[in-house]
Amino acid sequence: MRSSEYINKDEVAIIGGGPAGMQTALVLSARGFSVRIYEQKEQLGGHLKGWHHLFPHGVAASDLLGALKEQVLARAIPLHLGQTVDHLQKVGEGWELWQGETVVGRAGVVVLANGFALFDARRKEEYGYGLYPSVLTSADLEAVFRKERPWPFGPDCAAPQIGFVHCVGSRDLKCGSPHCSKLCCVTAVKQAMAVKAFFPEAQVYCFYMDLRMHGLEYEELYRKAQVDYGVRFIRGRLSEAAPGQGKRLHVKAEDTLQGRPLHLQLDMLVLMSGMVPTFVLEQQERAVFFKEPVFGSGFVPVQGFLAAGSVVQQKGLFASGACKGPATLPEVFADAAAVACEVEQYLKSLKAVAHA
Amino acid sequence: MEKSAWFVWPFMLGFMFALAVLLLRYLWWLRSLLRRPSSRLLSRMFSKHSLLAVREIFSEGLLHLRIYKRNRRLGFMHMSLALGWFMMIVGGKFETWFHSGQFLHGTWYAVFFRYFEPQTVGGWAGTFWLHYMDFGLLLVLTGLALAIVKRIRKKVLGIHSTTRHTLVNRVALTFLWMIFPLRLVAEALTFGQHGGGGFLTGALGRCCFTSGTLAGLELPFWWAYSLSLGAFFVVLPFSRYLHIPTEMVLILLRHWGLQAAEDLQPEKALQAFEIHACSSCGLCLDVCPAIKDHPFQSAYFLRALRSGKGWESLASTCLSCGACEEACPINLGLEKLRMAARGKIHEKHHAVYSYLPTVGPVETSKVDVLLFTGCMGRLKPATTKALKDLFEEAGLSWVHLDEQESICCGRPLALAGRASEASALREHNRSLIKGQQARMLVTTCPICLKQFRDDYRLELPVYHHSEVLWSCLSSGSLKREKGTACFSYHDPCELGRKSTCYQAPRELLQSCGTLLSLEREQADALCCGNSLGSLSLSLSERQALTSRTLKVLEVPGAQSIVTSCPLCQHNLARQSSLPVKDLAEVLAVTGLPEQQGQRKAALAAVQEL
C-alpha cells in the first residue's frame, strides 16, 4: 500500500503548456507555490505557436509567446516537455500522474490546461478539405502568414478570389458540435484583412451564419474590414466546393439576405474550423483517464458556476482555460488567474484542516 | 328446436351479423370492380391463378409458413390457432354429414354437435371423427397457450415487441381466448354426464365431470360457449380479426391481377383489403430500426388507416427503410401504401420547377459510362474522384452528367408522396440522359438507382457503381490483390432491401480484404438513421438510430466501415469512431497489385542489405 506521505501536498502539476497552463503556473508561482508543467509537445506555447498575429490589434503572436516563456524561465518553473499524461491516480489527498505503466509525476493538486483541438475539417467532405489543395483551414492560413507553407495559388495571381467559411464544425448539431467556438468570427475578419494587406486587389468573401463580435474592439474591426478593406460579408452557408475552371474551385452558396443562389470561382477557400475537446474525462473510483473524444463529447465539466475551475466530482483537480470550452486569449488569461486563486484557497483549506 | 337448445341463438345472431357486415363491407370495397369488371380479372378468375391463390391461402392463411420461416415458435402459434380451428370447421361438417346422412344443416348444428349427439355411434369412423375433432381442439388450445405466454413473456416466443392493442381488439381477444376453453369444458361436461368422447374431451369428462351434482352445469357452459362465440363474431368486423376472412380475399384478388392504387383510398379496391388484412402480428415491430423511439411501425400505421385517425404523422415519420415490408408475412405493399398516404398529406402543396429548363445538357460523345452522382454525391466528392480513377484504370470512358449542375432524380419527392413533382424532375433528367450516347447509366447513389430503374423507363441499362466495379474485377479489367484490411459493410436500405443488391459490394470487399460478418446485415440490416424516407423524425432520434447502427458495424477487428451510399456514408462518418468509406474509395487505394509489387520489391531490397 502506497502512502500518501511521499506526495508533496503543496505541489501543483499543470498538464498543458499553452497560454492557460503557463499563466496558471505563473500566478501560482508568484504566490509562492511550487508548480511543474507537463507538456506533451517538445515546446511550450500550444496553439499560440501556430499564430502569426493576434486580433484585435495585430500584435505578433511570437511576441506574446516570447514574453510568457521568458517569465516561465525567469521563475525557473520545472518543465517536463515531450511528456504525455494519460491518466491520474488518486493517492491519499494527492495525485499520481501516469503515462501507460509509468508514474511520471506526483502532486497535491492537478490543473488541467490541455486546451482544445481544431475540428477535423475533412469531416465536412463537401467543402473538399484534403481533396483540393486550395482549401485551407484557418490554422493553415496562419502557417501561410508565418511563411511555413506557400499560398495555394501561383505568384501570377495578383487579384485572387478568396472565400472564408465561418462555423465549420461549430454550431453544427449534425456534427455533434452544438457550441459556438466564438473566436472564429473575429479570426476570419482578422485573416480577411491580412489577406487584403498581402493582395490589395484580392476579392474576399466571408460566408457567415451570423457574426458574433462580442469582444472588446471586435465590432470596430468588423466595420474596418468592410469599410477600409472591402471584405464582402455574405450571410449564407456554403453548400459545396468542387473543382472549377483551371486550378480554381467552384463554390456554391446562397445569399440568404438577397435570397438568391451564388456561384463563385475561388482561388482559395479558408475553413474556420471550430474548437473541439482534445480529450474526454473518464472518471473512475480514484482515477481519471483522458480518452479520445467520441461523437458529441463535451469539454471538461466544472463544478457550479461556469467561471469556476474545480472539475466535477474530483477534489484537488482543476481545469483552466479552453479545455472547459471555447475562449479567447484575454479570457484564458483571466480564467487562469482565477483558477490559480481557487487552487490557492483549496491548498489553504487543506492546511487548516491539518492544523486543526 | 327444443327449449334447451335456445343457447345456440347468441352464436347464430353473432355469426349472421358478422356475415352481413362482411358482405356489405366487401361489396362496398369492390364497388368499382363490380360496376366495371376488368376483362383481365375475369380471365384470370377461371385459370390456374385461382388454384395458386388457394394454395397460398392454405400455406399462409392456415399454415403461416412465412412466419414459421422467420420464427418457428411464433409460426407454430399462428399455425396451431388457424389450422386447428380450420380442422374443427371442416371436421364438424363431415361429422354431421356422417351422423345424419344429410349434408346441409343449420350452421349451429355442427358447432354444438356434441351437445345434440353426445353418444359415440358409427363404429371406427365415428371414433375417428371424435378423436380428429379433439385433436383440432388440442391444437387450438396449444396455440392459445402460446398466445397467452406471448402476452406475458414475449421473449419465450423469440420476439422483443408485441403490438399494443386498442380496447376493441382487447375485447375481441378476450372473447376469442374464452371460446375454446369453454368448448372443452362444455364438451367434457356432456361426455362426463352421458359417456363417450374423444381422447381429450372424453378423458376430461370421465375424470372430472361424472358426478351427478355437476349435471346442472352442462347447459350453462354451452350457453357460455355460444355467448363468447357470438360476442366474438359481433366484434370481428370491427377488430383486427377482420384479417381472417380479408386475407383470404386479398390473396385471391392479388392472384387475379388486382393492384393497389397509387393514391390513398383506404375504403376502396385492393388497398382496402390490404389495410384490413393486417393481423397486427407484430413481425414488423422487431425489425424496425426505430422501434425504441417511435410507434410508427406498419402494424400501427395500418391500424390508424383503418380507424382513419392519426395516420398522417405515422406515415411521415417512418424511415421507409423497407424492413417491415421485407418481414411482412402476407407481403403487404407497405411502402406503396405509405407513399400514397404521404401523397394525401401533401395533396394541396405544389412546388414549381420553372427554372429547370435552364440546366443545360452536357456535351455529347460516345462513351461507355454516363455517370450520375446525384445530389448526395455532391457531399462526397472523394467517392466521385475515386470512381473516375477506377474507370480510368479499367479503361472505361465516361461523361459525368451532373458534374456542374444537376437536377434531382426525383426519389426524395417520390418518397415524400409528391408524385407529380417527382415526375416533373424525371422528365427533365430523362431528356438530358436521352441526349447522351452511352452504353450504360451508372450512379453512385442507390437512391437515384432505385428511381432510374423503377420509374424512368430508360433505353439503356442502369447500374450501381458497385455492380460495374465488380464486373470489371470479374472480367479482369481491374485487378486487386487481397490485402490485410478488415471491413465491416453497411447495407444501404435503398441498395439492399429496395434493389436487392447484396453480392457485388461483398465480392468487391472480399477481393481486396477481409469482410467481417455482422449481427444484422443484408435484408436485416439497420437503417443508417438519415434516410430521406422520414419526413419528420427529429435529429436526436436520428442520431440515436445512427449510434445503434454503428454498434452493429463497429465489430472487433474492423478497421473501417464501408458502405455504398453517399447519404449513409455521410451520416455514419459524422458519428463513427472508425473511418467510413465508400466502396470506390476502398478499391481505389487498397490492394493495388503494383503497390504491393513495390512493397515486395522494397522488402526484398531491405532483406538483401
Side-chain angles (χ1 to χ4, degrees):
Chain A
M1 185 70 199
R2 278 192 307 268
S3 126
S4 61
E5 292 304 311
Y6 79 126
I7 291 180
N8 179 357
K9 280 183 193 154
D10 286 343
E11 186 154 302
V12 182
I14 292 171
I15 301 178
M22 284 192 279
Q23 176 74 352
T24 313
L26 287 171
V27 176
L28 281 169
S29 166
R31 300 182 76 85
F33 292 92
S34 136
V35 288
R36 288 169 178 275
I37 295 179
Y38 295 81
E39 165 61 46
Q40 81 180 33
K41 297 267 165 59
E42 292 298 335
Q43 283 177 340
L44 291 175
H47 286 275
L48 188 55
K49 285 201 302 286
W51 282 68
H52 178 256
H53 61 285
L54 305 170
F55 54 80
H57 298 133
V59 174
S62 54
D63 289 356
L64 177 68
L65 184 55
L68 277 171
K69 274 184 180 172
E70 225 166 80
Q71 290 181 61
V72 170
L73 288 178
R75 292 211 156 267
I77 294 172
L79 300 175
H80 300 261
L81 297 175
Q83 181 61 64
T84 307
V85 176
D86 60 19
H87 75 278
L88 305 173
Q89 193 83 45
K90 189 108 195 178
V91 176
E93 295 274 340
W95 297 94
E96 278 174 351
L97 284 67
W98 287 72
Q99 189 202 357
E101 302 294 307
T102 334
V103 181
V104 296
R106 297 178 183 91
V109 170
V110 173
V111 180
L112 303 177
N114 321 40
F116 62 94
L118 281 179
F119 174 78
D120 181 1
R122 284 172 304 186
R123 285 195 170 239
K124 301 285 279 184
E125 195 183 316
E126 60 270 36
Y127 295 161
Y129 184 66
L131 280 178
Y132 314 123
S134 40
V135 182
L136 275 63
T137 62
S138 41
D140 296 336
L141 185 59
E142 288 293 324
V144 174
F145 294 156
R146 294 166 62 89
K147 301 195 170 57
E148 287 162 5
R149 59 183 285 167
W151 291 94
F153 42 83
D156 51 320
C157 186
Q161 302 274 313
I162 290 161
F164 286 85
V165 187
H166 291 232
C167 300
V168 176
S170 296
R171 304 168 73 195
D172 191 336
L173 289 173
K174 289 185 175 177
C175 283
S177 310
H179 59 272
C180 166
S181 295
K182 88 196 237 185
L183 57 82
C184 350
C185 272
V186 66
T187 305
V189 168
K190 181 208 85 169
Q191 291 189 335
M193 288 163 65
V195 165
K196 283 290 278 188
F198 274 104
F199 303 99
E201 299 299 311
Q203 184 59 260
V204 181
Y205 304 90
C206 284
F207 298 95
Y208 68 95
M209 292 207 275
D210 54 334
L211 287 159
R212 298 187 164 176
M213 297 297 167
H214 55 90
L216 207 61
E217 294 185 40
Y218 293 2
E219 185 66 26
E220 289 89 326
L221 203 69
Y222 169 41
R223 177 167 293 275
K224 208 168 162 185
Q226 295 171 82
V227 177
D228 298 345
Y229 288 78
V231 176
R232 290 184 57 186
F233 288 85
I234 297 169
R235 201 193 80 174
R237 301 280 283 170
L238 218 67
S239 63
E240 64 166 308
Q245 295 154 5
K247 284 184 171 173
R248 289 181 147 187
L249 286 166
H250 180 189
V251 163
K252 292 180 192 170
E254 188 189 350
D255 185 333
T256 58
L257 292 181
Q258 294 195 32
R260 64 190 176 94
L262 275 179
H263 287 256
L264 292 169
Q265 295 283 333
L266 298 181
D267 297 288
M268 179 170 86
L269 185 68
V270 185
L271 309 180
M272 307 308 295
S273 287
M275 296 159 88
V276 293
T278 45
F279 61 89
V280 60
L281 290 183
E282 190 188 290
Q283 309 203 6
Q284 295 178 357
E285 208 184 328
R286 304 188 66 76
V288 176
F289 285 83
F290 306 128
K291 295 277 176 164
E292 274 286 301
V294 292
F295 180 80
S297 291
F299 292 91
V300 177
V302 283
Q303 211 107 41
F305 190 59
L306 279 176
S310 179
V311 173
V312 169
Q313 289 179 348
Q314 294 293 342
K315 254 184 111 188
L317 183 62
F318 295 82
S320 168
C323 66
K324 293 184 285 187
T328 60
L329 272 175
E331 287 165 347
V332 165
F333 289 135
D335 183 62
V339 171
C341 290
E342 246 182 279
V343 172
E344 186 179 346
Q345 295 263 323
Y346 171 76
L347 288 170
K348 278 183 179 162
S349 74
L350 282 186
K351 273 210 175 122
V353 173
H355 283 301
Chain B
M1 188 184 287
E2 50 188 297
K3 209 172 175 186
S4 66
W6 283 9
F7 71 83
V8 306
W9 280 107
F11 158 73
M12 279 311 284
L13 288 173
F15 183 68
M16 300 306 278
F17 175 79
L19 218 56
V21 175
L22 276 185
L23 198 67
L24 283 174
R25 289 196 89 169
Y26 287 179
L27 286 175
W28 174 244
W29 293 344
L30 293 169
R31 61 196 179 278
S32 54
L33 276 173
L34 294 171
R35 228 174 287 141
R36 257 181 296 122
S38 77
S39 54
R40 176 182 152 86
L41 191 134
L42 288 173
S43 70
R44 282 186 158 224
M45 209 179 258
F46 302 100
S47 71
K48 64 170 187 199
H49 292 287
S50 295
L51 289 174
L52 289 172
V54 170
R55 193 176 77 176
E56 194 185 332
I57 290 173
F58 197 78
S59 69
E60 296 312 320
L62 291 177
L63 300 180
H64 293 85
L65 291 182
R66 288 194 202 111
I67 302 185
Y68 187 78
K69 272 177 209 150
R70 277 207 160 250
N71 177 339
R72 289 191 174 184
R73 275 168 279 178
L74 198 65
F76 178 75
M77 183 198 97
H78 283 275
M79 187 267 278
S80 51
L81 281 167
L83 187 67
W85 202 354
F86 177 75
M87 277 176 72
M88 287 163 73
I89 294 168
V90 175
K93 188 80 237 166
F94 278 101
E95 196 175 32
T96 51
W97 187 16
F98 176 75
H99 272 278
S100 66
Q102 256 183 295
F103 186 72
L104 292 174
H105 288 281
T107 318
W108 51 270
Y109 186 59
V111 177
F112 306 102
F113 182 67
R114 296 274 177 258
Y115 178 79
F116 300 108
E117 308 287 346
Q119 296 297 329
T120 317
V121 284
W124 65 268
T127 317
F128 167 78
W129 285 117
L130 264 178
H131 291 308
Y132 167 93
M133 291 297 277
D134 269 14
F135 179 71
L137 185 60
L138 182 65
L139 208 54
V140 176
L141 289 171
T142 317
L144 187 65
L146 286 171
I148 294 168
V149 170
K150 180 181 152 210
R151 284 283 139 199
I152 302 163
R153 284 228 154 167
K154 44 196 177 237
K155 291 221 169 100
V156 176
L157 275 111
I159 51 175
H160 298 289
S161 331
T162 48
T163 325
R164 287 188 304 280
H165 293 305
T166 51
L167 184 64
V168 61
N169 281 314
R170 280 194 296 240
V171 170
L173 181 84
T174 314
F175 288 136
L176 179 66
W177 282 6
M178 282 163 63
I179 291 171
F180 298 95
L182 283 172
R183 177 175 170 134
L184 175 70
V185 177
E187 289 196 350
L189 269 165
T190 299
F191 291 133
Q193 296 300 313
H194 308 280
F199 71 89
L200 179 67
T201 50
L204 185 66
R206 274 193 302 281
C207 90
C208 307
F209 301 124
T210 46
S211 157
T213 51
L214 294 172
L217 281 177
E218 187 188 349
L219 200 56
F221 265 93
W222 282 103
W223 266 99
Y225 171 49
S226 173
L227 273 166
S228 57
L229 262 174
F232 175 69
F233 278 116
V234 169
V235 282
L236 179 138
F238 311 104
S239 71
R240 67 195 179 102
Y241 296 102
L242 180 57
H243 84 87
I244 301 169
T246 311
E247 185 186 336
M248 295 191 252
V249 184
L250 173 72
I251 292 172
L252 265 178
L253 293 175
R254 269 199 207 136
H255 280 272
W256 290 344
L258 220 62
Q259 288 186 346
E262 301 282 339
D263 52 336
L264 190 69
Q265 298 169 334
E267 289 292 322
K268 203 175 168 194
L270 196 82
Q271 217 177 71
F273 285 92
E274 284 207 312
I275 291 170
H276 293 86
C278 168
S279 66
S280 305
C281 70
L283 279 190
C284 52
L285 303 181
D286 270 351
V287 295
C288 178
I291 182 70
K292 290 185 183 136
D293 310 292
H294 251 286
F296 60 58
Q297 290 72 29
S298 292
Y300 299 120
F301 170 55
L302 291 175
R303 186 173 77 194
L305 278 177
R306 289 196 291 269
S307 71
K309 270 179 250 152
W311 53 267
E312 293 90 342
S313 67
L314 299 186
S316 56
T317 318
C318 167
L319 295 148
S320 306
C321 74
C324 53
E325 189 165 313
E326 185 80 25
C328 179
I330 50 169
N331 290 344
L332 294 178
L334 299 166
E335 287 293 295
K336 193 173 176 184
L337 199 56
R338 203 169 278 116
M339 294 317 130
R342 290 177 178 189
K344 184 81 180 168
I345 301 168
H346 297 131
E347 214 171 29
K348 294 202 177 95
H349 307 94
H350 285 288
V352 180
Y353 294 102
S354 53
Y355 67 89
L356 282 180
T358 61
V359 176
V362 183
E363 210 175 302
T364 311
S365 61
K366 273 199 168 172
V367 288
D368 298 314
V369 171
L370 183 60
L371 178 64
F372 190 93
T373 47
C375 314
M376 297 306 143
R378 301 208 162 273
L379 296 173
K380 297 281 131 192
T383 304
T384 311
K385 189 171 174 294
L387 184 62
K388 287 177 179 176
D389 290 348
L390 289 167
F391 283 163
E392 204 105 329
E393 193 186 330
L396 290 172
S397 56
W398 44 266
V399 161
H400 189 173
L401 188 66
D402 56 346
E403 183 166 26
Q404 292 302 325
E405 291 188 279
S406 58
I407 298 174
C408 165
C409 67
R411 178 117 174 104
L413 281 166
L415 280 168
R418 304 177 82 160
S420 64
E421 282 91 344
S423 98
L425 295 185
R426 285 200 295 267
E427 266 322 304
H428 282 275
N429 268 328
R430 196 181 290 124
S431 66
L432 285 179
I433 293 167
K434 278 196 171 158
Q436 293 293 327
Q437 296 170 292
R439 286 199 294 124
M440 57 183 129
L441 178 64
V442 176
T443 176
T444 51
C445 176
I447 305 164
C448 303
L449 177 82
K450 170 97 180 131
Q451 188 74 0
F452 284 139
R453 277 197 179 151
D454 293 358
D455 299 297
Y456 267 70
R457 299 187 310 278
L458 293 169
E459 280 136 21
L460 75 175
V462 186
Y463 298 111
H464 182 249
H465 68 295
S466 63
E467 296 167 309
V468 176
L469 293 175
W470 184 34
S471 87
C472 287
L473 270 183
S474 332
S475 70
S477 58
L478 271 181
K479 285 191 181 68
R480 287 294 180 272
E481 278 172 21
K482 210 174 173 78
T484 52
C486 270
F487 312 108
S488 67
Y489 176 70
H490 169 73
D491 283 288
C493 303
E494 296 276 315
L495 189 66
R497 276 187 293 270
K498 303 281 181 80
S499 306
T500 55
C501 174
Y502 300 112
Q503 202 189 353
R506 288 182 163 73
E507 296 280 351
L508 283 175
L509 289 175
Q510 268 154 356
S511 74
C512 56
T514 308
L515 181 63
L516 300 166
S517 70
L518 305 173
E519 183 195 325
R520 287 186 70 159
E521 56 182 330
Q522 305 216 7
D524 290 329
L526 289 170
C527 169
C528 75
N530 204 22
S531 156
L532 291 174
S534 178
L535 308 178
S536 50
L537 204 63
S538 74
L539 179 66
S540 56
E541 286 166 321
R542 284 177 183 276
Q543 287 176 340
L545 286 172
T546 308
S547 64
R548 283 210 289 279
T549 308
L550 280 170
K551 276 206 187 94
V552 173
L553 291 165
E554 286 169 349
V555 281
Q559 291 158 330
S560 57
I561 295 168
V562 184
T563 186
S564 47
C565 166
L567 190 56
C568 295
Q569 189 203 348
H570 188 64
N571 189 50
L572 294 173
R574 282 196 294 238
Q575 273 173 251
S576 170
S577 49
L578 290 175
V580 184
K581 300 276 175 208
D582 185 271
L583 279 170
E585 286 178 275
V586 171
L587 215 64
V589 296
T590 54
L592 274 172
E594 49 264 51
Q595 273 185 4
Q596 294 202 336
Q598 279 168 13
R599 215 177 302 141
K600 273 178 202 156
L603 271 175
V606 169
Q607 276 164 2
E608 267 175 43
L609 286 172

Short mmCIF file of all heavy atoms in Angstrom, two decimals, chain B residues 300-324:
data_model
loop_
_atom_site.label_atom_id
_atom_site.label_comp_id
_atom_site.label_asym_id
_atom_site.label_seq_id
_atom_site.Cartn_x
_atom_site.Cartn_y
_atom_site.Cartn_z
N TYR B 300 -49.11 -0.35 -36.62
CA TYR B 300 -49.82 0.81 -36.07
C TYR B 300 -50.32 1.74 -37.18
O TYR B 300 -51.38 2.33 -37.08
CB TYR B 300 -48.91 1.58 -35.12
CG TYR B 300 -48.46 0.76 -33.94
CD1 TYR B 300 -47.12 0.51 -33.70
CD2 TYR B 300 -49.40 0.21 -33.07
CE1 TYR B 300 -46.72 -0.27 -32.62
CE2 TYR B 300 -49.01 -0.57 -32.00
CZ TYR B 300 -47.67 -0.80 -31.77
OH TYR B 300 -47.28 -1.57 -30.71
N PHE B 301 -49.50 1.84 -38.23
CA PHE B 301 -49.89 2.69 -39.36
C PHE B 301 -51.17 2.16 -40.01
O PHE B 301 -52.13 2.91 -40.26
CB PHE B 301 -48.72 2.72 -40.35
CG PHE B 301 -49.04 3.36 -41.68
CD1 PHE B 301 -49.56 4.65 -41.74
CD2 PHE B 301 -48.82 2.68 -42.86
CE1 PHE B 301 -49.85 5.25 -42.96
CE2 PHE B 301 -49.11 3.26 -44.08
CZ PHE B 301 -49.62 4.55 -44.13
N LEU B 302 -51.22 0.85 -40.22
CA LEU B 302 -52.41 0.27 -40.85
C LEU B 302 -53.62 0.38 -39.93
O LEU B 302 -54.73 0.63 -40.37
CB LEU B 302 -52.15 -1.20 -41.21
CG LEU B 302 -51.14 -1.39 -42.34
CD1 LEU B 302 -50.85 -2.87 -42.57
CD2 LEU B 302 -51.63 -0.76 -43.63
N ARG B 303 -53.37 0.22 -38.64
CA ARG B 303 -54.48 0.36 -37.70
C ARG B 303 -55.03 1.78 -37.74
O ARG B 303 -56.26 1.99 -37.72
CB ARG B 303 -53.99 0.01 -36.30
CG ARG B 303 -55.10 -0.02 -35.28
CD ARG B 303 -54.62 -0.53 -33.97
NE ARG B 303 -53.86 0.49 -33.26
CZ ARG B 303 -53.09 0.24 -32.21
NH1 ARG B 303 -52.96 -1.01 -31.77
NH2 ARG B 303 -52.44 1.20 -31.59
N ALA B 304 -54.10 2.76 -37.83
CA ALA B 304 -54.54 4.16 -37.90
C ALA B 304 -55.32 4.40 -39.19
O ALA B 304 -56.31 5.14 -39.20
CB ALA B 304 -53.34 5.09 -37.82
N LEU B 305 -54.89 3.76 -40.27
CA LEU B 305 -55.64 3.91 -41.53
C LEU B 305 -57.03 3.31 -41.40
O LEU B 305 -58.01 3.84 -41.93
CB LEU B 305 -54.89 3.21 -42.66
CG LEU B 305 -53.75 3.97 -43.32
CD1 LEU B 305 -53.07 3.10 -44.36
CD2 LEU B 305 -54.23 5.27 -43.97
N ARG B 306 -57.14 2.17 -40.68
CA ARG B 306 -58.45 1.54 -40.51
C ARG B 306 -59.38 2.44 -39.71
O ARG B 306 -60.55 2.56 -40.02
CB ARG B 306 -58.30 0.18 -39.80
CG ARG B 306 -57.67 -0.88 -40.65
CD ARG B 306 -57.90 -2.26 -40.06
NE ARG B 306 -57.16 -2.49 -38.82
CZ ARG B 306 -55.93 -3.02 -38.77
NH1 ARG B 306 -55.32 -3.38 -39.89
NH2 ARG B 306 -55.33 -3.21 -37.63
N SER B 307 -58.80 3.09 -38.69
CA SER B 307 -59.66 3.94 -37.87
C SER B 307 -59.80 5.33 -38.49
O SER B 307 -60.66 6.10 -38.10
CB SER B 307 -59.09 4.06 -36.46
OG SER B 307 -57.93 4.85 -36.50
N GLY B 308 -58.92 5.66 -39.44
CA GLY B 308 -58.98 6.98 -40.08
C GLY B 308 -58.41 8.08 -39.23
O GLY B 308 -58.49 9.25 -39.57
N LYS B 309 -57.75 7.72 -38.12
CA LYS B 309 -57.24 8.75 -37.21
C LYS B 309 -55.74 8.60 -36.98
O LYS B 309 -55.25 7.51 -36.68
CB LYS B 309 -57.95 8.66 -35.85
CG LYS B 309 -59.22 9.51 -35.79
CD LYS B 309 -59.89 9.36 -34.44
CE LYS B 309 -61.19 8.59 -34.59
NZ LYS B 309 -61.62 7.85 -33.45
N GLY B 310 -55.02 9.72 -37.15
CA GLY B 310 -53.60 9.75 -36.76
C GLY B 310 -52.63 9.10 -37.73
O GLY B 310 -51.45 8.99 -37.42
N TRP B 311 -53.09 8.70 -38.90
CA TRP B 311 -52.17 8.02 -39.82
C TRP B 311 -51.16 8.97 -40.43
O TRP B 311 -50.09 8.57 -40.85
CB TRP B 311 -52.93 7.28 -40.93
CG TRP B 311 -53.92 8.14 -41.67
CD1 TRP B 311 -55.24 8.29 -41.38
CD2 TRP B 311 -53.67 8.97 -42.81
NE1 TRP B 311 -55.83 9.16 -42.25
CE2 TRP B 311 -54.88 9.59 -43.14
CE3 TRP B 311 -52.53 9.26 -43.57
CZ2 TRP B 311 -55.01 10.49 -44.20
CZ3 TRP B 311 -52.65 10.15 -44.63
CH2 TRP B 311 -53.88 10.76 -44.94
N GLU B 312 -51.50 10.27 -40.46
CA GLU B 312 -50.63 11.24 -41.14
C GLU B 312 -49.22 11.26 -40.52
O GLU B 312 -48.22 11.11 -41.23
CB GLU B 312 -51.22 12.65 -41.08
CG GLU B 312 -52.51 12.83 -41.86
CD GLU B 312 -53.76 12.54 -41.04
OE1 GLU B 312 -53.63 11.88 -39.98
OE2 GLU B 312 -54.85 12.96 -41.45
N SER B 313 -49.16 11.40 -39.19
CA SER B 313 -47.83 11.50 -38.59
C SER B 313 -47.09 10.17 -38.67
O SER B 313 -45.88 10.13 -38.85
CB SER B 313 -47.93 11.97 -37.14
OG SER B 313 -48.56 10.98 -36.38
N LEU B 314 -47.84 9.06 -38.54
CA LEU B 314 -47.18 7.76 -38.62
C LEU B 314 -46.59 7.55 -40.01
O LEU B 314 -45.51 7.00 -40.16
CB LEU B 314 -48.17 6.63 -38.31
CG LEU B 314 -48.81 6.65 -36.92
CD1 LEU B 314 -49.64 5.40 -36.71
CD2 LEU B 314 -47.75 6.74 -35.85
N ALA B 315 -47.32 8.02 -41.03
CA ALA B 315 -46.84 7.85 -42.40
C ALA B 315 -45.59 8.68 -42.65
O ALA B 315 -44.66 8.23 -43.32
CB ALA B 315 -47.92 8.24 -43.40
N SER B 316 -45.55 9.88 -42.08
CA SER B 316 -44.42 10.74 -42.45
C SER B 316 -43.20 10.55 -41.56
O SER B 316 -42.11 10.91 -41.96
CB SER B 316 -44.84 12.21 -42.48
OG SER B 316 -45.39 12.57 -41.25
N THR B 317 -43.35 9.97 -40.38
CA THR B 317 -42.18 9.79 -39.52
C THR B 317 -41.35 8.59 -39.93
O THR B 317 -40.14 8.59 -39.78
CB THR B 317 -42.60 9.60 -38.04
OG1 THR B 317 -43.63 10.52 -37.76
CG2 THR B 317 -41.45 9.87 -37.11
N CYS B 318 -41.99 7.57 -40.46
CA CYS B 318 -41.30 6.32 -40.83
C CYS B 318 -40.12 6.60 -41.75
O CYS B 318 -40.14 7.49 -42.58
CB CYS B 318 -42.29 5.41 -41.52
SG CYS B 318 -41.53 4.03 -42.34
N LEU B 319 -39.06 5.80 -41.58
CA LEU B 319 -37.82 5.99 -42.35
C LEU B 319 -37.88 5.39 -43.75
O LEU B 319 -36.96 5.54 -44.53
CB LEU B 319 -36.66 5.34 -41.62
CG LEU B 319 -36.28 5.93 -40.27
CD1 LEU B 319 -35.76 4.84 -39.36
CD2 LEU B 319 -35.25 7.01 -40.45
N SER B 320 -38.94 4.66 -44.04
CA SER B 320 -39.07 3.97 -45.33
C SER B 320 -37.85 3.10 -45.62
O SER B 320 -37.37 3.07 -46.75
CB SER B 320 -39.24 4.96 -46.49
OG SER B 320 -40.30 5.81 -46.23
N CYS B 321 -37.36 2.42 -44.62
CA CYS B 321 -36.17 1.59 -44.84
C CYS B 321 -36.56 0.27 -45.48
O CYS B 321 -35.71 -0.46 -45.97
CB CYS B 321 -35.43 1.35 -43.54
SG CYS B 321 -36.23 0.17 -42.44
N GLY B 322 -37.84 -0.07 -45.44
CA GLY B 322 -38.31 -1.27 -46.12
C GLY B 322 -38.19 -2.55 -45.31
O GLY B 322 -38.52 -3.63 -45.80
N ALA B 323 -37.70 -2.45 -44.06
CA ALA B 323 -37.51 -3.67 -43.27
C ALA B 323 -38.84 -4.35 -42.96
O ALA B 323 -38.93 -5.58 -42.94
CB ALA B 323 -36.78 -3.35 -41.98
N CYS B 324 -39.90 -3.57 -42.74
CA CYS B 324 -41.19 -4.17 -42.38
C CYS B 324 -41.81 -4.87 -43.58
O CYS B 324 -42.41 -5.94 -43.45
CB CYS B 324 -42.12 -3.13 -41.79
SG CYS B 324 -42.34 -1.66 -42.80
#
